[in-house]
Amino acid sequence: MVSKSALLEEHIRNLQTCRLCPLMRSTPVSGGPVVSRVMLVGQAPGDKEPVLQRPFAWTAGKAMFKWFESQAGVSEEEFRKTVYMAAVCRCFPGKNANGGDRVPDKDEIERCGRWLQKEIITLSPELIIAVGKLAIARFLGELPPLIDLVGKIFPVEKFGRKFDLVPLPHPSGASPWPRIEPGKTLTMQGLALIRDHPAWQHRT
Ligand code: SF4
């Protein structure tokens, strides 16, 4: 039987050849073939991640890894080694007219979903951490406000797999939500749910 590790390695080789979205402004970014019970799903890389060749490589990542270090006792290095890092879209979408990152469109999200589907089927994760509204919506559909999502855990069945979903806000400096109340407390509650989840204790 082919190991999960070999399946993931092949999957990532295939992902890196994907050029399906003509508006995307980079090649795909991957966190590597980490066999884990925990998966993190972000939104889409920024302009620095394709250069540095890893997800959450810049300011949003610094903020997010600080959360995990302070609340879940894991360094960035350890996190990258023990959590499979995926995203709603794997390529940098480019900038919008205001200079912010363009939000991927519905077709791009659908198209890129094939990679996420394969990863969920291959890994059968027990816990998925969805970071940001776009990622949360991938699992929960139409969304209530973040205040009703963050700090909670949701049982989800998708692609024939059952897992717990913990939503987190996007750590980008563009949104003050995680830094002001009640977002600050809810974010800490979400991180505590991750820390105490049985899959987190035995990720690999
Ligand atoms: S965003 Fe996803 S589907 Fe689109 S080109 Fe990149 S990897 Fe392929």
Side-chain angles (χ1 to χ4, degrees):
M1 196 172 130
V2 187
S3 69
K4 283 187 183 180
S5 173
L7 287 170
L8 283 180
E9 277 170 27
E10 189 193 359
H11 171 78
I12 289 169
R13 274 197 301 277
N14 292 335
L15 166 67
Q16 279 164 342
T17 66
C18 184
R19 303 289 185 273
L20 286 172
C21 303
L23 295 181
M24 288 294 176
R25 288 291 168 263
S26 79
T27 51
V29 175
S30 159
V34 177
V35 177
S36 177
R37 294 185 178 86
V38 182
M39 184 183 284
L40 177 134
V41 180
Q43 304 200 131
D47 57 351
K48 303 289 191 305
E49 280 76 8
V51 179
L52 296 165
Q53 274 302 301
R54 57 201 166 127
F56 283 98
W58 209 242
T59 47
K62 279 196 180 72
M64 185 184 78
F65 289 120
K66 228 182 247 174
W67 291 346
F68 285 112
E69 179 133 34
S70 63
Q71 303 301 316
V74 66
S75 66
E76 173 178 345
E77 195 190 353
E78 185 69 10
F79 189 102
R80 290 187 186 280
K81 274 195 216 151
T82 59
V83 175
Y84 188 90
M85 296 181 75
V88 172
C89 283
R90 311 304 167 98
C91 301
F92 169 51
K95 296 286 181 187
N96 61 31
N98 302 329
D101 289 354
R102 179 177 71 83
V103 178
D105 65 34
K106 209 166 147 268
D107 290 343
E108 290 168 332
I109 291 171
E110 270 315 306
R111 237 175 267 137
C112 212
R114 73 191 62 203
W115 301 112
L116 186 60
Q117 176 173 0
K118 191 88 191 289
E119 287 152 355
I120 290 175
I121 291 171
T122 303
L123 277 173
S124 281
E126 290 158 41
L127 173 65
I128 294 189
I129 305 163
V131 181
K133 283 187 192 163
L134 219 57
I136 303 167
R138 206 73 190 91
F139 298 99
L140 299 181
E142 281 296 301
L143 290 185
L146 273 183
I147 197 170
D148 295 324
L149 295 166
V150 177
K152 296 191 171 85
I153 193 160
F154 298 85
V156 171
E157 184 165 358
K158 199 163 176 73
F159 308 131
R161 300 287 188 264
K162 289 182 181 174
F163 48 86
D164 289 329
L165 183 85
V166 174
L168 289 179
H170 202 279
S172 134
S175 163
W177 198 91
R179 294 191 299 279
I180 53 173
E181 294 299 355
K184 197 172 167 185
T185 299
L186 291 173
T187 302
M188 295 305 119
Q189 283 173 8
L191 290 161
L193 288 171
I194 294 166
R195 181 198 61 212
D196 296 339
H197 195 283
W200 182 259
Q201 311 292 334
H202 305 283
R203 296 188 289 284
T204 55

